[in-house]
Amino acid sequence: MDPPIQVLHVDDDPAFLEMAATFLERESDAIEVVTATSVSEGHAVFDERSIDCIVSDHDMPGRNGIEFLESVRASSPEVPFILFTGKGSESVASEAVSAGVTDYLQKESGTDQYTILANRIENAVDRYRARRSARAQQRRLETLVDNVPGVVYRCRNEPGWPMESIEGECESLTGYPADRIESGDLTWGHDVVHPADREDVWETVQTSIAVDEPFEETYRIRTAAGETRWVWERGRGVSIDSEVDEVTVAHEAEIGDYAAVLEGFITDITESKRRERRFEAIVENTSQFTGLLDPDGTIIEANESALAFADVDRADVLGTPLWEGPWFTESDRARRIAREAVDTARDGNPYHAEVAISGADESAIIDFTVHPVTDADGEVTLLIPESRDITALKERERELRRFRRRFEAVFDDPAVLVGLLAPDGTVRSVNSTALGYVEVDHEDLVGEPFPETPWWPEDRREDVREWVTAAAAGEYVEFDAVHAATDDGPFTVEGTFRPVVSEGDANHTDGDVTGIVVSAKDVTERRQRERELKHHAERFDEFASVVSHDLQSPITAAQGRLELALETGDLEHVERAADAIDRVDALRTDLAETLQTGEIVSETETIPLADAVEDAVTAVDPPGSMTVDVPDSVDVKADPDAFARLLENLLRNSIEHTDGDDVTVRFDRLREEGATGFVYEDDGPGIDPADRDRVFSPGFSTKDGDSGSGMGMMSVQQIVTAHDWSIRIADADVLDGARFEIRTD
């Protein structure tokens, strides 16, 4: 629809201007009138607005209509200018024509004049606009020809296609100057079109013009330098106009059935063709699924990989929306993702997702993307869907996750310290169990040389370096170490350095060491238990030796008494032998209980010292006379059996170290202030102060020769210790021999 006609009406009579505008706009809906009452005012309006036609009176104060016309023509020689005046004359009309007036109309009475004026305005503006449009079109055509990457031609439609005109980049396209082709020295069809394509090009053109349709074709040309180039041509047959000269008409008669003339455009697409071939090579020689879509998602191309997967022909899918393609029938989710991909890419944004699709014989998980292709203005013109089969990759990822979970379960074992090292010994990771033994953050350890980490004391770091070197060479290293102190003290570990080796090659060559796993178990408590067991074993060995010693005395007594009974017939000796046998049985029972409980001292009770000493003297059965002084008021809280053995060993020790058959011993309360316990003294030779620290050692004896085993005093020490008592050797205060002070507090 044409725009409204903007008319500037200049007249010094405002009432007339108003009336004229009303009638003109009533006569034509296309006319819009703007008024001015003087030439100067008219000039101002013309300069500010886009005016299509000027209507002006002649006689006006100041400058008249002819002067207004001359000034307008100086800047706008083609704008329609109608002189509409009330006082016409031949001289005015002649002067107006000379100044370039478009039309001349004299004012009359009545309204018919406005019909005539409106008609003349419209005709003048139509011609003005047509000329302006033609010039603009001509300028665009000239600009197009000057800037087109190719040539615009007009040729006769006959074999060889002799060119009547060829404009544009003819020489840069063909290597031939345009005048050689226009002169007939060369013809496009015989000398430029590639020989292998001439027949196809001719058939394509003739088929199209036979049905009066434009033709498009892509073919090769041979340049003047012998180079082959690809061109794209679009044109159509043109009928001979009635204005064509007689020579051309005569020529048309000569060529008979052929359309007279072809007009069209030819451009170089060699580089585009090269890119197209590269694109096809990439698209069709890949295992990826690739295609092209219209912005609305319609499939316009699919490569062979995608078609083969679905076992469909290209024609079966072209023109189909992507989400209705055979690949996305696996599930509603697959179709939804295909729709989302198109919607997202159509808005100019790439889309990416992983989705399961279905094929003819199998399903697959694909890495699916759709990319938008935009033109110079940013408008999306194409969509490129691509997908890569990642089924095997996803399975490996699942297997890797399963492996990682298993690995993490082992790596994070709360009972094992685990670290991962690079082959050069730098730390890659350590588990939380190992971190619990040092005051350092994980990130501060990563990348540090393992031998220099806080677990290792300075004197063990060289050992650690050797272990790392051995493991990096593929060796399996076992170690044990005592690590630096923690809040609970030093801790002991047993562990290994294990090389991690990559898979070998097809020739079964061993792979490279890619890492080292260091694992260790805290064996501090186990080692402590082992030491305790060893200590218990040693104590039991000592206890067994002591009990063996303690058993020997009543056994010897029983043997001696039985011999005396046989010699003398005195039954008292038999009774004394029976007492000794009872003592052996008591010691046997004590031994059994000790072995069961693991404790030399079990339950304690308050024992009158005098009663315990009396039983001990009976058990010892001294060979001679023995004087024993025991206060009645002293009690001892002790294990009865163990305390009995202690007393027996003290008494037996006094008997064995006293010359003669008479032995005197005395017991007394420990008189040291604040202490509880008792004192034992005898009238023997005493104990040299130099030997007192060794008296309780196994095997030490002050007897001459090999007569002493040293087990008696060890038994005393053992029983004292088991009761949490203490014993001290001193010089006797009352008698002349040894003094034993036993504290029981």
Side-chain angles (χ1 to χ4, degrees), residues 587-638:
L587 288 172
R588 178 194 62 77
T589 302
D590 185 32
L591 173 62
E593 291 177 354
T594 300
L595 292 175
Q596 289 176 352
T597 62
E599 299 292 339
I600 296 173
V601 172
S602 55
E603 294 185 4
T604 61
E605 58 185 68
T606 301
I607 304 170
L609 181 60
D611 294 345
V613 171
E614 182 180 355
D615 292 339
V617 171
T618 300
V620 169
D621 191 15
S625 62
M626 174 174 277
T627 302
V628 179
D629 182 14
V630 184
D632 293 332
S633 59
V634 177
D635 294 331
V636 178
K637 189 172 184 179

Side-chain angles (χ1 to χ4, degrees), residues 10-12 36-39 56-65 68:
V10 181
D11 196 296
D12 60 342
T37 58
S38 66
V39 171
S56 176
D57 191 11
H58 178 264
D59 291 333
M60 291 181 290
R63 299 168 66 188
N64 61 30
F68 185 25

Side-chain angles (χ1 to χ4, degrees), residues 419-423 425-430 442 445-448 514-516:
L420 295 179
L421 313 180
T426 55
V427 176
R428 288 176 174 168
S429 183
V430 293
H442 185 274
L445 292 171
V446 174
E448 293 297 315
T514 60
I516 300 172

Side-chain angles (χ1 to χ4, degrees), residues 202 415 660:
W202 176 261

Side-chain angles (χ1 to χ4, degrees), residues 299-408:
I299 300 171
I300 59 177
E301 189 55 83
N303 74 342
E304 288 299 328
S305 295
L307 297 172
F309 179 75
D311 192 21
V312 294
D313 294 330
R314 184 173 275 102
D316 296 333
V317 298
L318 298 188
T320 303
L322 179 64
W323 51 88
E324 294 181 6
W327 309 279
F328 296 96
T329 58
E330 177 77 9
S331 65
D332 291 340
R333 178 178 182 271
R335 287 188 289 272
R336 176 175 54 78
I337 285 178
R339 278 182 174 272
E340 287 179 358
V342 169
D343 292 342
T344 301
R346 183 168 53 216
D347 291 337
N349 302 308
Y351 182 89
H352 176 261
E354 292 179 0
V355 60
I357 63 173
S358 57
D361 302 318
E362 60 181 331
S363 296
I365 300 174
I366 60 170
D367 184 50
F368 177 57
T369 59
V370 177
H371 298 281
V373 177
T374 58
D375 60 17
D377 297 326
E379 294 294 325
V380 175
T381 59
L382 286 173
L383 306 180
I384 300 178
E386 293 180 311
S387 60
R388 180 169 56 95
D389 188 345
I390 58 172
T391 307
L393 175 63
K394 300 305 289 185
E395 180 57 36
R396 287 196 297 272
E397 288 179 352
R398 284 192 291 269
E399 182 61 30
L400 181 60
R401 286 194 295 270
R402 288 193 292 268
F403 172 80
R404 183 176 293 278
R405 286 194 296 269
R406 291 194 297 268
F407 172 78
E408 290 175 350

Side-chain angles (χ1 to χ4, degrees), residues 156-159 202 206 209 238-240 247-261:
R156 296 196 300 273
N157 183 33
E158 59 182 78
W202 176 261
Q206 302 313 310
I209 64 175
V238 179
S239 299
I240 294 181
V247 175
T248 304
V249 172
H251 183 75
E252 180 186 15
E254 292 176 3
I255 63 176
D257 296 334
Y258 301 126
V261 177

Side-chain angles (χ1 to χ4, degrees), residues 9-31:
H9 190 183
V10 181
D11 196 296
D12 60 342
D13 185 350
F16 179 74
L17 285 174
E18 182 180 357
M19 180 180 64
T22 301
F23 278 100
L24 286 174
E25 291 177 352
R26 182 181 299 173
E27 288 293 333
S28 175
D29 293 337
I31 294 176

